Amino acid sequence: GAGVSQSPRYKVTKRGQDVALRCDPISGHVSLYWYRQALGQGPEFLTYFNYEAQQDKSGLPNDRFSAERPEGSISTLTIQRTEQRDSAMYRCASSLGGGNQPQHFGDGTRLSIL
Amino acid sequence: AQSVTQLDSQVPVFEEAPVELRCNYSSSVSVYLFWYVQYPNQGLQLLLKYLSGSTLVKGINGFEAEFNKSQTSFHLRKPSVHISDTAEYFCAVSSNTGNQFYFGTGTSLTVIP
């Protein structure tokens, strides 16, 4: 489709495992954003890219979280040595770039750490 | 940096009644403002946006919002709600100094038949 695509839709894994979450943005969108959303809360900023360059990673909780967008299109958010507190909905959004451009969101990946 | 406050976490309203969802922001620079709606198990969808110009902005599904600079508010309104409007609504702010969006904690609108 033409929207932002995230995979997997659901991920259940044991504590201590590494997980990789994928985001395929809208074609032609310069900026790509990762958010974490807890139940009953708004999206919490994690990091964003313009093209392949990571512009801001100030929202990443700790060094177990990393993200890349090597070719300026698809992005991967990786969480190493997962902990139960990492359980949340992880959302990706893309835009044409700039604060005046609306962000278009994917359906998210629901991550559950057992 | 900017921030957004949505004071009402839950708003119940009867079908066909009017509704207002409140959003206040703080920023030291000029802002852009957005309202998003999130239906269960779905991503956020853009309802409307304020970039510049007319302070009254009309969006999809009959919603509108008014930017009030002196009150630092961007309240969302609909004159007559439908059952299908039951969802979570998020206000967001950004600026011309960066790409980052700041979201409020959301308001859960429940339309009662």
Side-chain angles (χ1 to χ4, degrees), chain B residues 15-53:
Chain B
E15 192 175 12
E16 298 183 4
V19 70
E20 177 180 85
L21 306 184
R22 295 182 293 168
C23 172
N24 288 87
Y25 69 92
S26 67
S27 176
S28 57
V29 298
S30 294
V31 296
Y32 306 119
L33 293 154
F34 305 81
W35 274 99
Y36 283 83
V37 60
Q38 183 177 18
Y39 298 103
N41 299 316
Q42 294 187 26
L44 282 75
Q45 299 174 31
L46 181 70
L47 267 180
L48 48 79
K49 61 186 178 186
Y50 169 79
L51 302 182
S52 65

PDB file of all heavy atoms in Angstrom, chain B residues 15-53:
ATOM      1  N   GLU B  15     -24.526  11.225  21.937  1.00  0.00           N
ATOM      2  CA  GLU B  15     -24.590  11.329  20.478  1.00  0.00           C
ATOM      3  C   GLU B  15     -25.378  12.574  20.071  1.00  0.00           C
ATOM      4  O   GLU B  15     -26.384  12.924  20.698  1.00  0.00           O
ATOM      5  CB  GLU B  15     -25.265  10.074  19.924  1.00  0.00           C
ATOM      6  CG  GLU B  15     -25.155   9.910  18.423  1.00  0.00           C
ATOM      7  CD  GLU B  15     -25.745   8.594  17.949  1.00  0.00           C
ATOM      8  OE1 GLU B  15     -26.435   7.929  18.736  1.00  0.00           O
ATOM      9  OE2 GLU B  15     -25.494   8.236  16.789  1.00  0.00           O
ATOM     10  N   GLU B  16     -24.882  13.253  19.049  1.00  0.00           N
ATOM     11  CA  GLU B  16     -25.449  14.469  18.466  1.00  0.00           C
ATOM     12  C   GLU B  16     -25.230  15.712  19.342  1.00  0.00           C
ATOM     13  O   GLU B  16     -25.639  16.810  18.964  1.00  0.00           O
ATOM     14  CB  GLU B  16     -26.929  14.308  18.128  1.00  0.00           C
ATOM     15  CG  GLU B  16     -27.197  13.227  17.078  1.00  0.00           C
ATOM     16  CD  GLU B  16     -28.664  13.115  16.702  1.00  0.00           C
ATOM     17  OE1 GLU B  16     -29.464  13.923  17.198  1.00  0.00           O
ATOM     18  OE2 GLU B  16     -28.998  12.220  15.916  1.00  0.00           O
ATOM     19  N   ALA B  17     -24.575  15.561  20.468  1.00  0.00           N
ATOM     20  CA  ALA B  17     -24.231  16.723  21.291  1.00  0.00           C
ATOM     21  C   ALA B  17     -22.916  17.323  20.796  1.00  0.00           C
ATOM     22  O   ALA B  17     -22.129  16.641  20.132  1.00  0.00           O
ATOM     23  CB  ALA B  17     -24.098  16.307  22.744  1.00  0.00           C
ATOM     24  N   PRO B  18     -22.651  18.594  21.123  1.00  0.00           N
ATOM     25  CA  PRO B  18     -21.363  19.185  20.749  1.00  0.00           C
ATOM     26  C   PRO B  18     -20.268  18.737  21.714  1.00  0.00           C
ATOM     27  O   PRO B  18     -20.534  18.330  22.836  1.00  0.00           O
ATOM     28  CB  PRO B  18     -21.615  20.689  20.885  1.00  0.00           C
ATOM     29  CG  PRO B  18     -22.674  20.778  21.932  1.00  0.00           C
ATOM     30  CD  PRO B  18     -23.544  19.565  21.764  1.00  0.00           C
ATOM     31  N   VAL B  19     -19.020  18.841  21.251  1.00  0.00           N
ATOM     32  CA  VAL B  19     -17.893  18.460  22.102  1.00  0.00           C
ATOM     33  C   VAL B  19     -16.730  19.411  21.867  1.00  0.00           C
ATOM     34  O   VAL B  19     -16.549  19.944  20.765  1.00  0.00           O
ATOM     35  CB  VAL B  19     -17.453  17.006  21.830  1.00  0.00           C
ATOM     36  CG1 VAL B  19     -16.797  16.862  20.469  1.00  0.00           C
ATOM     37  CG2 VAL B  19     -16.521  16.509  22.925  1.00  0.00           C
ATOM     38  N   GLU B  20     -15.966  19.642  22.920  1.00  0.00           N
ATOM     39  CA  GLU B  20     -14.712  20.397  22.817  1.00  0.00           C
ATOM     40  C   GLU B  20     -13.643  19.632  23.567  1.00  0.00           C
ATOM     41  O   GLU B  20     -13.819  19.290  24.745  1.00  0.00           O
ATOM     42  CB  GLU B  20     -14.861  21.800  23.411  1.00  0.00           C
ATOM     43  CG  GLU B  20     -13.548  22.585  23.373  1.00  0.00           C
ATOM     44  CD  GLU B  20     -13.672  23.982  23.947  1.00  0.00           C
ATOM     45  OE1 GLU B  20     -13.547  24.110  25.186  1.00  0.00           O
ATOM     46  OE2 GLU B  20     -13.875  24.930  23.174  1.00  0.00           O
ATOM     47  N   LEU B  21     -12.546  19.356  22.908  1.00  0.00           N
ATOM     48  CA  LEU B  21     -11.390  18.714  23.531  1.00  0.00           C
ATOM     49  C   LEU B  21     -10.296  19.762  23.643  1.00  0.00           C
ATOM     50  O   LEU B  21      -9.907  20.367  22.646  1.00  0.00           O
ATOM     51  CB  LEU B  21     -10.921  17.526  22.682  1.00  0.00           C
ATOM     52  CG  LEU B  21     -11.980  16.476  22.326  1.00  0.00           C
ATOM     53  CD1 LEU B  21     -11.349  15.327  21.573  1.00  0.00           C
ATOM     54  CD2 LEU B  21     -12.682  15.972  23.579  1.00  0.00           C
ATOM     55  N   ARG B  22      -9.780  19.944  24.842  1.00  0.00           N
ATOM     56  CA  ARG B  22      -8.876  21.050  25.099  1.00  0.00           C
ATOM     57  C   ARG B  22      -7.410  20.677  24.908  1.00  0.00           C
ATOM     58  O   ARG B  22      -6.986  19.569  25.247  1.00  0.00           O
ATOM     59  CB  ARG B  22      -9.093  21.576  26.517  1.00  0.00           C
ATOM     60  CG  ARG B  22     -10.472  22.185  26.736  1.00  0.00           C
ATOM     61  CD  ARG B  22     -10.602  22.738  28.136  1.00  0.00           C
ATOM     62  NE  ARG B  22     -10.575  21.687  29.142  1.00  0.00           N
ATOM     63  CZ  ARG B  22     -10.434  21.912  30.448  1.00  0.00           C
ATOM     64  NH1 ARG B  22     -10.289  23.162  30.899  1.00  0.00           N
ATOM     65  NH2 ARG B  22     -10.434  20.914  31.305  1.00  0.00           N
ATOM     66  N   CYS B  23      -6.673  21.631  24.369  1.00  0.00           N
ATOM     67  CA  CYS B  23      -5.237  21.463  24.169  1.00  0.00           C
ATOM     68  C   CYS B  23      -4.566  22.799  24.441  1.00  0.00           C
ATOM     69  O   CYS B  23      -4.939  23.818  23.863  1.00  0.00           O
ATOM     70  CB  CYS B  23      -4.947  21.011  22.744  1.00  0.00           C
ATOM     71  SG  CYS B  23      -3.190  21.003  22.322  1.00  0.00           S
ATOM     72  N   ASN B  24      -3.584  22.790  25.320  1.00  0.00           N
ATOM     73  CA  ASN B  24      -2.756  23.969  25.561  1.00  0.00           C
ATOM     74  C   ASN B  24      -1.304  23.604  25.309  1.00  0.00           C
ATOM     75  O   ASN B  24      -0.888  22.475  25.559  1.00  0.00           O
ATOM     76  CB  ASN B  24      -2.933  24.474  26.994  1.00  0.00           C
ATOM     77  CG  ASN B  24      -4.287  25.118  27.198  1.00  0.00           C
ATOM     78  OD1 ASN B  24      -5.272  24.431  27.506  1.00  0.00           O
ATOM     79  ND2 ASN B  24      -4.361  26.419  27.018  1.00  0.00           N
ATOM     80  N   TYR B  25      -0.557  24.560  24.810  1.00  0.00           N
ATOM     81  CA  TYR B  25       0.842  24.285  24.489  1.00  0.00           C
ATOM     82  C   TYR B  25       1.725  25.348  25.118  1.00  0.00           C
ATOM     83  O   TYR B  25       1.258  26.415  25.522  1.00  0.00           O
ATOM     84  CB  TYR B  25       1.043  24.258  22.974  1.00  0.00           C
ATOM     85  CG  TYR B  25       0.881  25.612  22.326  1.00  0.00           C
ATOM     86  CD1 TYR B  25       1.971  26.452  22.130  1.00  0.00           C
ATOM     87  CD2 TYR B  25      -0.377  26.052  21.930  1.00  0.00           C
ATOM     88  CE1 TYR B  25       1.821  27.699  21.571  1.00  0.00           C
ATOM     89  CE2 TYR B  25      -0.532  27.312  21.363  1.00  0.00           C
ATOM     90  CZ  TYR B  25       0.553  28.130  21.189  1.00  0.00           C
ATOM     91  OH  TYR B  25       0.399  29.375  20.638  1.00  0.00           O
ATOM     92  N   SER B  26       3.001  25.036  25.197  1.00  0.00           N
ATOM     93  CA  SER B  26       3.981  26.028  25.618  1.00  0.00           C
ATOM     94  C   SER B  26       5.135  25.984  24.633  1.00  0.00           C
ATOM     95  O   SER B  26       5.552  24.907  24.205  1.00  0.00           O
ATOM     96  CB  SER B  26       4.482  25.763  27.034  1.00  0.00           C
ATOM     97  OG  SER B  26       5.216  24.577  27.078  1.00  0.00           O
ATOM     98  N   SER B  27       5.591  27.182  24.247  1.00  0.00           N
ATOM     99  CA  SER B  27       6.697  27.269  23.305  1.00  0.00           C
ATOM    100  C   SER B  27       7.250  28.681  23.318  1.00  0.00           C
ATOM    101  O   SER B  27       6.509  29.641  23.503  1.00  0.00           O
ATOM    102  CB  SER B  27       6.216  26.920  21.897  1.00  0.00           C
ATOM    103  OG  SER B  27       7.259  27.099  20.957  1.00  0.00           O
ATOM    104  N   SER B  28       8.541  28.783  23.075  1.00  0.00           N
ATOM    105  CA  SER B  28       9.167  30.097  23.010  1.00  0.00           C
ATOM    106  C   SER B  28       9.341  30.563  21.571  1.00  0.00           C
ATOM    107  O   SER B  28       9.845  31.656  21.333  1.00  0.00           O
ATOM    108  CB  SER B  28      10.535  30.046  23.705  1.00  0.00           C
ATOM    109  OG  SER B  28      11.346  29.063  23.102  1.00  0.00           O
ATOM    110  N   VAL B  29       8.909  29.731  20.624  1.00  0.00           N
ATOM    111  CA  VAL B  29       9.022  30.075  19.212  1.00  0.00           C
ATOM    112  C   VAL B  29       7.672  29.868  18.535  1.00  0.00           C
ATOM    113  O   VAL B  29       6.742  29.332  19.134  1.00  0.00           O
ATOM    114  CB  VAL B  29      10.104  29.223  18.507  1.00  0.00           C
ATOM    115  CG1 VAL B  29      11.467  29.476  19.121  1.00  0.00           C
ATOM    116  CG2 VAL B  29       9.757  27.743  18.599  1.00  0.00           C
ATOM    117  N   SER B  30       7.599  30.287  17.281  1.00  0.00           N
ATOM    118  CA  SER B  30       6.358  30.083  16.526  1.00  0.00           C
ATOM    119  C   SER B  30       6.104  28.589  16.364  1.00  0.00           C
ATOM    120  O   SER B  30       7.038  27.812  16.169  1.00  0.00           O
ATOM    121  CB  SER B  30       6.473  30.746  15.153  1.00  0.00           C
ATOM    122  OG  SER B  30       6.570  32.135  15.288  1.00  0.00           O
ATOM    123  N   VAL B  31       4.834  28.230  16.442  1.00  0.00           N
ATOM    124  CA  VAL B  31       4.498  26.801  16.455  1.00  0.00           C
ATOM    125  C   VAL B  31       3.617  26.404  15.280  1.00  0.00           C
ATOM    126  O   VAL B  31       2.962  27.237  14.648  1.00  0.00           O
ATOM    127  CB  VAL B  31       3.790  26.414  17.764  1.00  0.00           C
ATOM    128  CG1 VAL B  31       4.710  26.597  18.952  1.00  0.00           C
ATOM    129  CG2 VAL B  31       2.487  27.186  17.932  1.00  0.00           C
ATOM    130  N   TYR B  32       3.647  25.123  15.018  1.00  0.00           N
ATOM    131  CA  TYR B  32       2.670  24.471  14.169  1.00  0.00           C
ATOM    132  C   TYR B  32       1.900  23.512  15.074  1.00  0.00           C
ATOM    133  O   TYR B  32       2.490  22.867  15.945  1.00  0.00           O
ATOM    134  CB  TYR B  32       3.355  23.695  13.047  1.00  0.00           C
ATOM    135  CG  TYR B  32       4.318  24.518  12.226  1.00  0.00           C
ATOM    136  CD1 TYR B  32       5.670  24.183  12.174  1.00  0.00           C
ATOM    137  CD2 TYR B  32       3.890  25.622  11.492  1.00  0.00           C
ATOM    138  CE1 TYR B  32       6.559  24.924  11.417  1.00  0.00           C
ATOM    139  CE2 TYR B  32       4.775  26.371  10.744  1.00  0.00           C
ATOM    140  CZ  TYR B  32       6.112  26.021  10.704  1.00  0.00           C
ATOM    141  OH  TYR B  32       6.990  26.760   9.966  1.00  0.00           O
ATOM    142  N   LEU B  33       0.605  23.388  14.854  1.00  0.00           N
ATOM    143  CA  LEU B  33      -0.226  22.585  15.748  1.00  0.00           C
ATOM    144  C   LEU B  33      -1.034  21.573  14.955  1.00  0.00           C
ATOM    145  O   LEU B  33      -1.495  21.859  13.844  1.00  0.00           O
ATOM    146  CB  LEU B  33      -1.154  23.493  16.554  1.00  0.00           C
ATOM    147  CG  LEU B  33      -0.429  24.391  17.546  1.00  0.00           C
ATOM    148  CD1 LEU B  33      -1.209  25.638  17.855  1.00  0.00           C
ATOM    149  CD2 LEU B  33      -0.131  23.615  18.831  1.00  0.00           C
ATOM    150  N   PHE B  34      -1.223  20.413  15.533  1.00  0.00           N
ATOM    151  CA  PHE B  34      -1.879  19.301  14.861  1.00  0.00           C
ATOM    152  C   PHE B  34      -2.822  18.589  15.840  1.00  0.00           C
ATOM    153  O   PHE B  34      -2.560  18.532  17.045  1.00  0.00           O
ATOM    154  CB  PHE B  34      -0.845  18.273  14.366  1.00  0.00           C
ATOM    155  CG  PHE B  34       0.223  18.851  13.482  1.00  0.00           C
ATOM    156  CD1 PHE B  34       1.327  19.505  14.017  1.00  0.00           C
ATOM    157  CD2 PHE B  34       0.130  18.725  12.106  1.00  0.00           C
ATOM    158  CE1 PHE B  34       2.308  20.043  13.197  1.00  0.00           C
ATOM    159  CE2 PHE B  34       1.115  19.252  11.279  1.00  0.00           C
ATOM    160  CZ  PHE B  34       2.201  19.911  11.822  1.00  0.00           C
ATOM    161  N   TRP B  35      -3.886  18.022  15.283  1.00  0.00           N
ATOM    162  CA  TRP B  35      -4.724  17.077  16.014  1.00  0.00           C
ATOM    163  C   TRP B  35      -4.738  15.769  15.231  1.00  0.00           C
ATOM    164  O   TRP B  35      -4.936  15.758  14.010  1.00  0.00           O
ATOM    165  CB  TRP B  35      -6.164  17.579  16.168  1.00  0.00           C
ATOM    166  CG  TRP B  35      -6.391  18.462  17.349  1.00  0.00           C
ATOM    167  CD1 TRP B  35      -6.450  19.833  17.366  1.00  0.00           C
ATOM    168  CD2 TRP B  35      -6.618  18.042  18.706  1.00  0.00           C
ATOM    169  NE1 TRP B  35      -6.701  20.279  18.643  1.00  0.00           N
ATOM    170  CE2 TRP B  35      -6.800  19.204  19.484  1.00  0.00           C
ATOM    171  CE3 TRP B  35      -6.691  16.795  19.341  1.00  0.00           C
ATOM    172  CZ2 TRP B  35      -7.048  19.165  20.853  1.00  0.00           C
ATOM    173  CZ3 TRP B  35      -6.937  16.756  20.697  1.00  0.00           C
ATOM    174  CH2 TRP B  35      -7.116  17.926  21.441  1.00  0.00           C
ATOM    175  N   TYR B  36      -4.527  14.676  15.991  1.00  0.00           N
ATOM    176  CA  TYR B  36      -4.579  13.342  15.422  1.00  0.00           C
ATOM    177  C   TYR B  36      -5.664  12.547  16.138  1.00  0.00           C
ATOM    178  O   TYR B  36      -5.931  12.760  17.320  1.00  0.00           O
ATOM    179  CB  TYR B  36      -3.244  12.614  15.618  1.00  0.00           C
ATOM    180  CG  TYR B  36      -2.134  13.041  14.687  1.00  0.00           C
ATOM    181  CD1 TYR B  36      -1.363  14.169  14.962  1.00  0.00           C
ATOM    182  CD2 TYR B  36      -1.849  12.310  13.543  1.00  0.00           C
ATOM    183  CE1 TYR B  36      -0.344  14.557  14.106  1.00  0.00           C
ATOM    184  CE2 TYR B  36      -0.827  12.686  12.683  1.00  0.00           C
ATOM    185  CZ  TYR B  36      -0.076  13.809  12.972  1.00  0.00           C
ATOM    186  OH  TYR B  36       0.934  14.186  12.127  1.00  0.00           O
ATOM    187  N   VAL B  37      -6.241  11.570  15.416  1.00  0.00           N
ATOM    188  CA  VAL B  37      -7.208  10.656  16.018  1.00  0.00           C
ATOM    189  C   VAL B  37      -6.656   9.235  15.901  1.00  0.00           C
ATOM    190  O   VAL B  37      -6.011   8.893  14.905  1.00  0.00           O
ATOM    191  CB  VAL B  37      -8.594  10.759  15.340  1.00  0.00           C
ATOM    192  CG1 VAL B  37      -8.528  10.432  13.857  1.00  0.00           C
ATOM    193  CG2 VAL B  37      -9.601   9.847  16.033  1.00  0.00           C
ATOM    194  N   GLN B  38      -6.888   8.459  16.946  1.00  0.00           N
ATOM    195  CA  GLN B  38      -6.428   7.073  16.946  1.00  0.00           C
ATOM    196  C   GLN B  38      -7.598   6.169  17.289  1.00  0.00           C
ATOM    197  O   GLN B  38      -8.107   6.210  18.418  1.00  0.00           O
ATOM    198  CB  GLN B  38      -5.297   6.892  17.961  1.00  0.00           C
ATOM    199  CG  GLN B  38      -4.710   5.497  17.981  1.00  0.00           C
ATOM    200  CD  GLN B  38      -3.546   5.375  18.951  1.00  0.00           C
ATOM    201  OE1 GLN B  38      -3.356   6.193  19.834  1.00  0.00           O
ATOM    202  NE2 GLN B  38      -2.753   4.345  18.775  1.00  0.00           N
ATOM    203  N   TYR B  39      -8.007   5.351  16.321  1.00  0.00           N
ATOM    204  CA  TYR B  39      -9.042   4.357  16.568  1.00  0.00           C
ATOM    205  C   TYR B  39      -8.376   3.101  17.130  1.00  0.00           C
ATOM    206  O   TYR B  39      -7.172   2.883  16.922  1.00  0.00           O
ATOM    207  CB  TYR B  39      -9.807   4.057  15.286  1.00  0.00           C
ATOM    208  CG  TYR B  39     -10.520   5.271  14.736  1.00  0.00           C
ATOM    209  CD1 TYR B  39     -10.006   5.962  13.639  1.00  0.00           C
ATOM    210  CD2 TYR B  39     -11.687   5.746  15.330  1.00  0.00           C
ATOM    211  CE1 TYR B  39     -10.632   7.088  13.152  1.00  0.00           C
ATOM    212  CE2 TYR B  39     -12.319   6.876  14.847  1.00  0.00           C
ATOM    213  CZ  TYR B  39     -11.785   7.542  13.761  1.00  0.00           C
ATOM    214  OH  TYR B  39     -12.404   8.668  13.282  1.00  0.00           O
ATOM    215  N   PRO B  40      -9.120   2.257  17.836  1.00  0.00           N
ATOM    216  CA  PRO B  40      -8.517   1.066  18.453  1.00  0.00           C
ATOM    217  C   PRO B  40      -7.728   0.227  17.456  1.00  0.00           C
ATOM    218  O   PRO B  40      -8.187  -0.020  16.340  1.00  0.00           O
ATOM    219  CB  PRO B  40      -9.741   0.320  18.983  1.00  0.00           C
ATOM    220  CG  PRO B  40     -10.757   1.377  19.234  1.00  0.00           C
ATOM    221  CD  PRO B  40     -10.545   2.400  18.163  1.00  0.00           C
ATOM    222  N   ASN B  41      -6.537  -0.158  17.874  1.00  0.00           N
ATOM    223  CA  ASN B  41      -5.669  -1.042  17.087  1.00  0.00           C
ATOM    224  C   ASN B  41      -5.252  -0.435  15.747  1.00  0.00           C
ATOM    225  O   ASN B  41      -4.955  -1.175  14.800  1.00  0.00           O
ATOM    226  CB  ASN B  41      -6.338  -2.396  16.853  1.00  0.00           C
ATOM    227  CG  ASN B  41      -6.619  -3.119  18.157  1.00  0.00           C
ATOM    228  OD1 ASN B  41      -5.767  -3.154  19.039  1.00  0.00           O
ATOM    229  ND2 ASN B  41      -7.814  -3.636  18.289  1.00  0.00           N
ATOM    230  N   GLN B  42      -5.262   0.876  15.669  1.00  0.00           N
ATOM    231  CA  GLN B  42      -4.829   1.534  14.442  1.00  0.00           C
ATOM    232  C   GLN B  42      -3.780   2.587  14.756  1.00  0.00           C
ATOM    233  O   GLN B  42      -3.548   2.936  15.907  1.00  0.00           O
ATOM    234  CB  GLN B  42      -6.022   2.180  13.731  1.00  0.00           C
ATOM    235  CG  GLN B  42      -7.042   1.194  13.198  1.00  0.00           C
ATOM    236  CD  GLN B  42      -8.109   1.865  12.372  1.00  0.00           C
ATOM    237  OE1 GLN B  42      -7.902   2.936  11.790  1.00  0.00           O
ATOM    238  NE2 GLN B  42      -9.265   1.240  12.311  1.00  0.00           N
ATOM    239  N   GLY B  43      -3.151   3.076  13.690  1.00  0.00           N
ATOM    240  CA  GLY B  43      -2.194   4.159  13.846  1.00  0.00           C
ATOM    241  C   GLY B  43      -2.894   5.495  13.981  1.00  0.00           C
ATOM    242  O   GLY B  43      -4.112   5.590  13.891  1.00  0.00           O
ATOM    243  N   LEU B  44      -2.121   6.550  14.206  1.00  0.00           N
ATOM    244  CA  LEU B  44      -2.676   7.892  14.338  1.00  0.00           C
ATOM    245  C   LEU B  44      -2.962   8.460  12.947  1.00  0.00           C
ATOM    246  O   LEU B  44      -2.142   8.332  12.035  1.00  0.00           O
ATOM    247  CB  LEU B  44      -1.682   8.808  15.057  1.00  0.00           C
ATOM    248  CG  LEU B  44      -1.586   8.668  16.573  1.00  0.00           C
ATOM    249  CD1 LEU B  44      -0.834   7.411  16.976  1.00  0.00           C
ATOM    250  CD2 LEU B  44      -0.920   9.894  17.166  1.00  0.00           C
ATOM    251  N   GLN B  45      -4.128   9.085  12.831  1.00  0.00           N
ATOM    252  CA  GLN B  45      -4.516   9.721  11.571  1.00  0.00           C
ATOM    253  C   GLN B  45      -4.636  11.229  11.784  1.00  0.00           C
ATOM    254  O   GLN B  45      -5.180  11.666  12.791  1.00  0.00           O
ATOM    255  CB  GLN B  45      -5.870   9.193  11.096  1.00  0.00           C
ATOM    256  CG  GLN B  45      -5.927   7.710  10.830  1.00  0.00           C
ATOM    257  CD  GLN B  45      -7.333   7.267  10.511  1.00  0.00           C
ATOM    258  OE1 GLN B  45      -8.132   8.022   9.949  1.00  0.00           O
ATOM    259  NE2 GLN B  45      -7.675   6.045  10.860  1.00  0.00           N
ATOM    260  N   LEU B  46      -4.161  11.992  10.828  1.00  0.00           N
ATOM    261  CA  LEU B  46      -4.237  13.442  10.937  1.00  0.00           C
ATOM    262  C   LEU B  46      -5.680  13.919  10.767  1.00  0.00           C
ATOM    263  O   LEU B  46      -6.343  13.585   9.801  1.00  0.00           O
ATOM    264  CB  LEU B  46      -3.351  14.089   9.868  1.00  0.00           C
ATOM    265  CG  LEU B  46      -3.321  15.607   9.869  1.00  0.00           C
ATOM    266  CD1 LEU B  46      -2.574  16.114  11.108  1.00  0.00           C
ATOM    267  CD2 LEU B  46      -2.648  16.120   8.596  1.00  0.00           C
ATOM    268  N   LEU B  47      -6.146  14.720  11.742  1.00  0.00           N
ATOM    269  CA  LEU B  47      -7.473  15.325  11.662  1.00  0.00           C
ATOM    270  C   LEU B  47      -7.398  16.712  11.018  1.00  0.00           C
ATOM    271  O   LEU B  47      -8.184  17.048  10.142  1.00  0.00           O
ATOM    272  CB  LEU B  47      -8.056  15.513  13.069  1.00  0.00           C
ATOM    273  CG  LEU B  47      -8.938  14.422  13.656  1.00  0.00           C
ATOM    274  CD1 LEU B  47      -9.390  14.855  15.043  1.00  0.00           C
ATOM    275  CD2 LEU B  47     -10.126  14.129  12.767  1.00  0.00           C
ATOM    276  N   LEU B  48      -6.473  17.516  11.500  1.00  0.00           N
ATOM    277  CA  LEU B  48      -6.314  18.873  10.988  1.00  0.00           C
ATOM    278  C   LEU B  48      -4.985  19.441  11.473  1.00  0.00           C
ATOM    279  O   LEU B  48      -4.339  18.857  12.357  1.00  0.00           O
ATOM    280  CB  LEU B  48      -7.474  19.778  11.420  1.00  0.00           C
ATOM    281  CG  LEU B  48      -7.891  19.769  12.893  1.00  0.00           C
ATOM    282  CD1 LEU B  48      -6.970  20.591  13.767  1.00  0.00           C
ATOM    283  CD2 LEU B  48      -9.321  20.283  13.030  1.00  0.00           C
ATOM    284  N   LYS B  49      -4.597  20.578  10.878  1.00  0.00           N
ATOM    285  CA  LYS B  49      -3.341  21.211  11.245  1.00  0.00           C
ATOM    286  C   LYS B  49      -3.465  22.723  11.131  1.00  0.00           C
ATOM    287  O   LYS B  49      -4.233  23.240  10.309  1.00  0.00           O
ATOM    288  CB  LYS B  49      -2.207  20.722  10.330  1.00  0.00           C
ATOM    289  CG  LYS B  49      -2.436  21.054   8.863  1.00  0.00           C
ATOM    290  CD  LYS B  49      -1.379  20.426   7.965  1.00  0.00           C
ATOM    291  CE  LYS B  49      -1.681  20.755   6.505  1.00  0.00           C
ATOM    292  NZ  LYS B  49      -0.768  20.065   5.569  1.00  0.00           N
ATOM    293  N   TYR B  50      -2.709  23.413  11.969  1.00  0.00           N
ATOM    294  CA  TYR B  50      -2.572  24.859  11.859  1.00  0.00           C
ATOM    295  C   TYR B  50      -1.107  25.157  11.572  1.00  0.00           C
ATOM    296  O   TYR B  50      -0.215  24.792  12.347  1.00  0.00           O
ATOM    297  CB  TYR B  50      -2.997  25.579  13.136  1.00  0.00           C
ATOM    298  CG  TYR B  50      -2.613  27.031  13.110  1.00  0.00           C
ATOM    299  CD1 TYR B  50      -3.372  27.954  12.387  1.00  0.00           C
ATOM    300  CD2 TYR B  50      -1.455  27.487  13.732  1.00  0.00           C
ATOM    301  CE1 TYR B  50      -2.988  29.281  12.303  1.00  0.00           C
ATOM    302  CE2 TYR B  50      -1.075  28.820  13.658  1.00  0.00           C
ATOM    303  CZ  TYR B  50      -1.841  29.702  12.933  1.00  0.00           C
ATOM    304  OH  TYR B  50      -1.467  31.018  12.847  1.00  0.00           O
ATOM    305  N   LEU B  51      -0.871  25.841  10.456  1.00  0.00           N
ATOM    306  CA  LEU B  51       0.496  26.247  10.104  1.00  0.00           C
ATOM    307  C   LEU B  51       0.632  27.761  10.191  1.00  0.00           C
ATOM    308  O   LEU B  51       1.603  28.278  10.748  1.00  0.00           O
ATOM    309  CB  LEU B  51       0.842  25.758   8.702  1.00  0.00           C
ATOM    310  CG  LEU B  51       0.741  24.237   8.470  1.00  0.00           C
ATOM    311  CD1 LEU B  51       1.155  23.889   7.050  1.00  0.00           C
ATOM    312  CD2 LEU B  51       1.574  23.475   9.489  1.00  0.00           C
ATOM    313  N   SER B  52      -0.321  28.474   9.582  1.00  0.00           N
ATOM    314  CA  SER B  52      -0.317  29.932   9.606  1.00  0.00           C
ATOM    315  C   SER B  52      -1.651  30.410   9.048  1.00  0.00           C
ATOM    316  O   SER B  52      -2.475  29.597   8.627  1.00  0.00           O
ATOM    317  CB  SER B  52       0.840  30.506   8.776  1.00  0.00           C
ATOM    318  OG  SER B  52       0.663  30.173   7.415  1.00  0.00           O
ATOM    319  N   GLY B  53      -1.858  31.728   9.059  1.00  0.00           N
ATOM    320  CA  GLY B  53      -3.062  32.269   8.439  1.00  0.00           C
ATOM    321  C   GLY B  53      -4.264  32.218   9.351  1.00  0.00           C
ATOM    322  O   GLY B  53      -4.159  32.451  10.557  1.00  0.00           O
TER     323      GLY B  53
END
